[in-house]
Amino acid sequence: MTLPTVFITRPIPASLDALSAVATVEVWTERQPPPVEVLREKMAIADGLLCLLTDRIDRALLQASPQLKVISQMAVGYDNIDIAAATERGIPVGHTPGVLTNATADFTWALLMAAARRVVEGDRFTRAGLWQTWEPDLLLGPEVSGATLGIVGLGRIGQAVARRAIGFNMRVLYCGQHPSAAAPAVNADFVSFETLLQTADFVSLHVPLTPETYHLIDDRAFSQMKPSAILVNTARGGVVDQAALFRALSQGQIAAAAIDVTDPEPLPMDSPLLTLDNLIITPHLGSASQQTRTKMAQMAIANLIAGLQGSPLPHCVNPEVYHACP
Ligand code: GLV
């Protein structure tokens, strides 16, 4: 019997043994993602695709993939995949929710603390040989304990960020399309987007990138934030209008920001954002703990195998492709 063919767009940190037992597996081993023409060539003969958020899986590619039975993305977000087009073709799309919640919430806090307490500036200052003595007013930042945290989107990761704020004795506000049943457990109060922007000392973004959230944080949003506010983005770069972010940070509309995601990724080296001292930028590391990345890879493999075998994916983005999928 001929085994199904699978293309994996990058080496992933989990054993491929179980997959290799049921499929012929090809892994793209270059550091850069496969170019679109390679993706097209591989997907033209693939039964299964395991991809990353750096791979753009659009309608044209899907139309050129006659055998494709399953797409498994090693990420919780899936804005790089045309889900509607996959659904139309009856292709289930898997993702990796839950396992990266704590790692991403931890990293959000790492950025929040680093921006508030000027950790990266302090490191640069020290390495530049500028540390001459203890100074009463050197690199002061706002107090985190007792401050107000505004969470935009109280999903799994937003809740985990809010839960951590309890230890810092913070007031937590959140906004979203409607109040969340999970809010009381994490001590978070529902407010409008405007109230959150006007009140929060720290604004942390936890919404997926959709047409509705694209450039949610724009000039108007920045104009409503406190001049002392700090913005943290571990969601998706497109949620923030980067030109507006540059204006807000350089004109003192907000105090600082820390972003783990940009649009595009990687951020081009001529981006004006790179000239700002009051901005921390990291290369999309939210889920980057060893344990979490392994769990994500294992989950992506489990989704892929289920799809190849015609079973419902354990974590399916578009369950409407099955009648019986929960
Ligand atoms: C990372 O950004 C993810 O969506 O998993």
Side-chain angles (χ1 to χ4, degrees):
M1 194 187 74
T2 327
L3 292 178
T5 299
V6 159
F7 184 57
I8 306 185
T9 63
R10 229 71 48 77
I12 57 172
S15 164
L16 297 182
D17 289 353
L19 182 61
S20 301
V22 296
T24 303
V25 180
E26 185 181 354
V27 181
W28 177 256
T29 54
E30 312 256 326
R31 184 157 181 223
Q32 292 297 322
V36 64
E37 46 293 356
V38 172
L39 261 183
R40 194 176 302 111
E41 179 198 326
K42 302 297 178 188
M43 285 175 65
I45 52 158
D47 298 283
L49 174 73
L50 196 156
C51 57
L52 309 186
L53 47 82
T54 42
D55 305 310
R56 198 172 132 70
I57 311 299
D58 60 17
R59 183 174 287 273
L61 268 180
L62 290 169
Q63 274 163 354
S65 312
Q67 278 175 223
L68 198 63
K69 290 178 192 60
V70 54
I71 299 173
S72 175
Q73 162 120 316
M74 191 185 128
V76 66
Y78 44 81
D79 47 276
N80 56 309
I81 302 173
D82 188 332
I83 300 296
T87 306
E88 278 166 34
R89 298 183 67 81
I91 300 171
V93 178
H95 69 149
T96 63
V99 288
L100 49 76
T101 301
N102 283 327
T104 308
D106 291 347
F107 197 74
T108 302
W109 270 91
L111 288 183
L112 188 155
M113 295 294 286
R117 300 303 304 277
R118 305 179 68 174
V119 173
V120 177
E121 283 173 271
D123 181 77
R124 280 200 290 260
F125 182 88
T126 304
R127 289 172 196 272
L130 298 170
W131 183 12
Q132 294 185 354
T133 181
W134 186 89
E135 295 176 69
D137 60 352
L138 178 64
L139 289 173
L140 304 186
E143 188 97 358
V144 174
S145 295
T148 298
L149 172 62
I151 296 184
V152 180
L154 198 69
R156 274 180 293 254
I157 297 172
Q159 288 166 41
V161 170
R163 199 169 302 117
R164 284 152 176 74
I166 296 170
F168 287 88
N169 202 21
M170 294 174 98
R171 176 179 178 217
V172 179
L173 307 176
Y174 75 100
C175 65
Q177 280 163 354
H178 41 71
S180 161
V186 295
N187 219 9
D189 293 326
F190 184 64
V191 292
S192 67
F193 180 51
E194 286 70 27
T195 302
L196 184 142
L197 294 176
Q198 288 158 8
T199 318
D201 300 303
F202 299 93
V203 174
S204 191
L205 306 178
H206 300 288
V207 286
L209 178 63
T210 63
E212 290 74 39
T213 62
Y214 179 75
H215 286 190
L216 180 69
I217 305 297
D218 56 6
D219 282 312
R220 186 157 183 277
F222 283 119
S223 73
Q224 297 179 77
M225 290 168 69
K226 296 181 181 179
S228 56
I230 292 179
L231 176 75
V232 180
N233 187 9
T234 53
R236 283 292 183 268
V239 178
V240 175
D241 174 349
Q242 284 177 185
L245 175 65
F246 179 79
R247 287 188 285 276
L249 288 170
S250 53
Q251 295 165 12
Q253 254 176 337
I254 65 168
I259 59 174
D260 185 43
V261 285
T262 60
D263 181 21
E265 292 183 4
L267 189 67
M269 285 309 290
D270 61 357
S271 167
L273 291 176
L274 292 168
T275 63
L276 297 170
D277 278 335
N278 54 350
L279 175 64
I280 296 171
I281 309 176
T282 49
H284 207 142
L285 298 177
S287 63
S289 80
Q290 286 145 357
Q291 294 85 343
T292 290
R293 287 285 167 87
T294 298
K295 285 185 206 153
M296 289 166 69
Q298 288 168 340
M299 203 175 214
I301 291 170
N303 278 330
L304 187 66
I305 292 176
L308 291 174
Q309 295 179 338
S311 309
L313 310 195
H315 298 279
C316 186
V317 169
N318 54 346
E320 56 275 27
V321 294
Y322 306 117
H323 298 302
C325 193

